[in-house]
Amino acid sequence: MLAFCFNSFGQTSFSIRRIDKIKVRCNGESNGQITVIVAGGRPPYNYSVNGSTPQLSNIFPNLKAGSYTVTVRDLNNRRKDSVVLIIQPAKLTMNFSVRNLNCNGDNTGSINGRVSGGILPYNFNWSNGSQAAQQSNLSAGSYILTVRDSINCAARDTFKITQPAALVATAVGTNLSCTNN
C-alpha cells in the first residue's frame, strides 16, 4: 500500500522509488539500461539522463558503462535527481608470446600466455582445431585464437610462427686427371 503526503498546496509529494539497472554485458558495448520507478507527484512524468531531451518513457536502453544523472519532473515541474552507475566487466585481453621454429621444416614452435578480464571460465578455440590454452609442437604458419568468457564475450588475435631459411648445400667438384707417369 502506498501512502501519499500532501503539502500545503494539496499536491502529493513524489520520489524516485527505485532505479533498476542492467550492466553492460561485454566491455565496450552499449547495452546497459536504466529503468526509473516513481511514486507520488502528478503524472505524466518527464525523464532524462545527463541533461538529454526529456521523454515520457522511464526506460533508457543502449547505454555504455558510466555514471548517469537521472532527472524526473512531474506535471508541477517538481524535480528529483539520482546518480546511477552502469558497470561493465573488465576488458577480455590476451597476453601471449610466440616461440618460432628452431630449424626449417620442424615443429618446435609454441604459443603460450594468459587471458585476463571478462568473466571466468574461458573457452579457447584455435584455428588448428585445438581448444587448449597453450599450443606446442607447431609448424610454421599463422594461428588464430578466439577466446570466449562465460557470457560469450570474445577476444581474437592472430599469431605467426616463423622458421629460419632452409640450409642449402652446394657441391663443388674439381675434375682431376690421373696420368700414369
Side-chain angles (χ1 to χ4, degrees), residues 2-78:
L2 292 176
F4 296 102
C5 300
F6 290 90
N7 63 23
S8 59
F9 300 106
Q11 299 169 344
T12 60
S13 64
F14 96 105
S15 63
I16 296 175
R17 283 278 193 206
R18 187 177 83 233
I19 296 180
D20 296 330
K21 54 188 174 178
I22 298 173
K23 68 181 180 180
V24 171
R25 192 176 72 78
C26 297
N27 187 286
E29 292 182 345
S30 297
N31 51 22
Q33 181 173 298
I34 296 172
T35 303
V36 184
I37 309 299
V38 177
R42 292 197 55 206
Y45 306 106
N46 283 308
Y47 303 87
S48 64
V49 290
N50 294 348
S52 64
T53 302
Q55 64 183 40
L56 292 176
S57 173
N58 65 330
I59 299 172
F60 295 93
N62 306 319
L63 299 174
K64 292 184 177 189
S67 180
Y68 294 88
T69 299
V70 175
T71 301
V72 182
R73 291 185 187 269
D74 73 354
L75 187 62
N76 293 325
N77 205 29
R78 288 178 293 183

Side-chain angles (χ1 to χ4, degrees), residues 41-150:
R42 292 197 55 206
Y45 306 106
N46 283 308
Y47 303 87
S48 64
V49 290
N50 294 348
S52 64
T53 302
Q55 64 183 40
L56 292 176
S57 173
N58 65 330
I59 299 172
F60 295 93
N62 306 319
L63 299 174
K64 292 184 177 189
S67 180
Y68 294 88
T69 299
V70 175
T71 301
V72 182
R73 291 185 187 269
D74 73 354
L75 187 62
N76 293 325
N77 205 29
R78 288 178 293 183
R79 175 182 173 154
K80 298 291 180 181
D81 295 311
S82 185
V83 176
V84 179
L85 182 63
I86 298 293
I87 62 171
Q88 66 184 346
K91 183 177 181 179
L92 190 59
T93 58
M94 293 186 266
N95 186 12
F96 281 75
S97 61
V98 171
R99 180 171 176 241
N100 293 313
L101 303 187
N102 294 325
C103 297
N104 185 283
D106 71 12
N107 62 345
T108 56
S110 63
I111 304 171
N112 297 295
R114 66 183 187 90
V115 175
S116 61
I119 299 173
L120 294 168
Y122 304 125
N123 291 314
F124 298 86
N125 291 299
W126 291 88
S127 56
N128 65 356
S130 174
Q131 293 184 337
Q134 315 297 321
Q135 297 293 296
S136 59
N137 301 319
L138 298 173
S139 57
S142 292
Y143 296 85
I144 301 168
L145 170 60
T146 302
V147 177
R148 293 190 183 281
D149 69 3
S150 65

